[in-house]
Amino acid sequence: MIGLEDVRAAARRLDGVAHRTPVVRSRTLDARTGRELLLKAENLQRVGAFKFRGAYNAIASLTEAERARGVVTVSSGNHAQALALAARLHGAPALILMPDDAPDTKVAATAGHGAEIARFDRYAEDREAVLAAAVAERGMTPVHAYDDPRVMAGQGTVALELLEDAARDEPLDALVVPVGGGGLISGCATAVTALAPSTRVVGVEPEAGDDVRRSLAAGERVRVPVAPTIADGQQLDRPGERTWEVIRERVDAVAVVSDAEIVEAMRLLFERVKLVVEPSGACALAAVLAGRPELDGARRVGVVLSGGNVGADRFAALVAGRPAAAGAQGARSPLAETRPPR
Amino acid sequence: MIGLEDVRAAARRLDGVAHRTPVVRSRTLDARTGRELLLKAENLQRVGAFKFRGAYNAIASLTEAERARGVVTVSSGNHAQALALAARLHGAPALILMPDDAPDTKVAATAGHGAEIARFDRYAEDREAVLAAAVAERGMTPVHAYDDPRVMAGQGTVALELLEDAARDEPLDALVVPVGGGGLISGCATAVTALAPSTRVVGVEPEAGDDVRRSLAAGERVRVPVAPTIADGQQLDRPGERTWEVIRERVDAVAVVSDAEIVEAMRLLFERVKLVVEPSGACALAAVLAGRPELDGARRVGVVLSGGNVGADRFAALVAGRPAAAGAQGARSPLAETRPPR
């Protein structure tokens, strides 16, 4: 299981490479929630999401020989772009396996960072086999989007920075973190448990994909049916194997939010805080705004805004309540990052 | 004329009250422009714009007796909300004179900060007379949106912070600042001239309201016809009297941008930087993206993103190129803050 030292090592590798994203304050949101909110703006991170941290740390952790052979992953989300950029910065080859129906914009953005893209048919081909072939034939190192200790440790630097910047004088009562596969929250919970044991770590999932909440309730990793949600970064059917081991030990609770609550948080962030945050990135704030019981008694609250990759047109459609664009996006590739490579 | 000591005094008054807004970096924009851009995110300031700094400094500079009698201004823009909030924080009454046709959302936001609102008919009533009556009858202190030394000094803290945070190791080649009535640029130029004399100060106006550029060319304050522009914070027909005295001495050049260039900057800020910036707030970046000759040779460039008060619906319409919403907004009250109170 990863420890604080892994997160600290990641922070040293990321120093001067990742943005040290600002902690944004909003008196409007404070007044509205009756709390003191410290918003960690990872939407301002490179490639627009915290994923850069883990991907970069993973590649930086490889030996020179491994780096020369390159990295491979299956992703059509933010991890794809993050790994592509991190590989380019290391001069390492990257192969990104993307389903045939991945949006062109995501494919182009990933290719724009110099990665090789291989498309596969999600319905006819076994993604694990596709990935295994790349590993076997080219000696590439797989870097999973979340179920990888180097990735988890990298994501933990989000909490490390927030604690350093915002909790020096007064500890946080809670840190609220979006949960997809669990890479971000497992890293963050590792830092918080070690450095601020009085701070509760609360995850937030969309109602439509509450696998981690149900797993915590069951005491074991369970698989849930995944319904469509606008929070496409969190449409996963069960926690990762490695992230689960950390989550069960170090996460205090998981709350859920509806798509409507997420959109309201996105609108408030846009109009009152002036930040562009994608649906998955806004769900932690949505839980705070909705006053979920998991946050009862927490006055000083860190909130991770995990990413901002939403186009202006889709954003407008979501905020206007137009279902077409949201549905079209929600329908795509919901399980693209579900299963860890073995 | 204001000096560095006035800006420093304003910074002390604002310490712990205004947000120290982050300097945001974007490697995407750096690569696209071939420069090193340091974006001062004043859209993240209280009330969503730098205007809070000047308004707060003005009220903090009053005597207790003056504060007790209150402040008054004519504004339907960001200054209205800024002065209303600054007055509330000081426990001072505020009277905001707004034209009958000011948008309801602006009126409600200003009233929401506890200010008294008085509407007037822009076509039938003389705004100067309305203002003078409030001053005479109630002993209120007028705080102009820009043509006030306390306001100008407050706005200068934007540059002071940027120089402290981003120019310690290496000076900026240029600082690029949106220009409306000149409050922001006169304060910023005052700080830069004193602290970083090698840094050029370049203002940016919309093509449709280039009164400051023409005034600099003429060597005197000239009045220009004002055509509609989406940059409603900059639709002024001539520089302020007091701001002009500073601008003529301390500003190196003024560039202009088109509405289309502003919209492109807004889109890039949204999609690549994840910041919501209103048209006037995006014009400095628009000039950098367009490679205006006033910036030739400037590699390391500070760019002030001056405000973010644009609703999600109007933003969507602007980025989609739909003229209706933009036109409707652009048509309103273009000269609301044009003439300084005497």
Side-chain angles (χ1 to χ4, degrees), chain A residues 14 28 50 72 93 98 251 267 289 294 310 330:
Chain A
L14 289 167
T28 303
F50 72 95
V72 58
M98 299 180 112
V251 171
R267 177 192 280 278
L289 288 167
E294 290 81 1
V310 53

Side-chain angles (χ1 to χ4, degrees), chain A residues 259-282:
Chain A
D259 280 8
E261 287 167 337
I262 290 173
V263 169
E264 177 57 15
M266 290 172 70
R267 177 192 280 278
L268 273 174
L269 285 165
F270 183 106
E271 296 199 331
R272 307 309 297 255
V273 192
K274 319 302 176 190
L275 291 177
V276 179
V277 181
E278 66 189 88
S280 299

Side-chain angles (χ1 to χ4, degrees), chain B residues 51-273:
Chain B
K51 295 274 184 183
F52 177 73
R53 298 174 183 264
Y56 189 91
N57 186 54
I59 300 179
S61 304
L62 299 179
T63 66
E64 269 191 51
E66 287 169 331
R67 268 203 291 276
R69 288 194 299 272
V71 291
V72 57
T73 200
V74 183
S75 171
S76 58
N78 289 332
H79 177 62
Q81 291 179 59
L83 194 68
L85 172 59
R88 179 166 64 78
L89 295 173
H90 282 98
L95 170 62
I96 314 290
L97 306 176
M98 299 181 112
D100 281 336
D101 55 354
D104 290 344
T105 51
K106 301 269 186 180
V107 177
T110 305
H113 291 301
E116 179 187 348
I117 313 285
R119 310 299 287 267
F120 66 95
D121 182 336
R122 287 201 290 134
Y123 305 101
E125 291 180 82
D126 177 355
R127 35 182 277 149
E128 302 308 328
V130 176
L131 185 65
V135 173
E137 289 161 22
R138 302 173 60 171
M140 289 178 141
T141 301
V143 178
H144 191 267
Y146 53 84
D147 216 29
D148 179 309
R150 303 159 299 193
V151 170
M152 293 152 63
Q155 322 301 33
T157 60
V158 171
L160 199 63
E161 291 178 6
L162 181 57
L163 292 176
E164 285 174 3
D165 292 344
R168 268 178 307 191
D169 304 329
E170 195 183 348
L172 301 176
D173 297 314
L175 176 66
V176 193
V177 184
V179 178
L184 178 60
I185 201 170
S186 60
C188 288
T190 297
V192 169
T193 306
L195 294 171
S198 71
T199 301
R200 254 184 290 164
V201 178
V202 177
V204 181
E205 292 180 303
E207 286 171 353
D210 63 341
D211 53 293
V212 174
R213 187 167 72 148
R214 292 203 214 174
S215 296
L216 279 176
E220 61 178 2
R221 203 160 67 110
V222 299
R223 191 186 294 271
V224 304
V226 173
T229 165
I230 60 169
D232 41 56
Q234 300 171 284
Q235 277 183 314
L236 305 177
D237 66 348
R238 62 171 175 170
E241 281 178 48
R242 297 180 183 86
T243 56
W244 168 246
E245 293 305 315
V246 177
I247 289 169
R248 70 188 304 171
E249 290 280 326
R250 298 174 186 162
V251 171
D252 294 278
V254 172
V256 295
V257 290
S258 69
D259 279 7
E261 288 167 337
I262 289 174
V263 169
E264 176 58 16
M266 290 172 69
R267 177 191 280 279
L268 273 173
L269 284 165
F270 183 107
E271 296 200 331
R272 308 310 298 255
V273 191

Side-chain angles (χ1 to χ4, degrees), chain A residues 63-130:
Chain A
T63 66
E64 269 191 50
E66 287 169 331
R67 266 203 291 276
R69 290 194 298 273
V71 292
V72 58
T73 200
V74 183
S75 171
S76 59
N78 289 332
H79 178 62
Q81 290 179 59
L83 193 69
L85 172 59
R88 178 165 67 77
L89 294 174
H90 282 99
L95 170 63
I96 314 291
L97 307 176
M98 299 180 112
D100 281 336
D101 55 355
D104 290 343
T105 52
K106 300 268 185 181
V107 177
T110 306
H113 291 300
E116 179 186 349
I117 313 286
R119 311 298 289 264
F120 66 95
D121 181 336
R122 288 199 291 132
Y123 304 100
E125 292 180 82
D126 177 354
R127 34 182 279 151
E128 302 308 329
V130 176

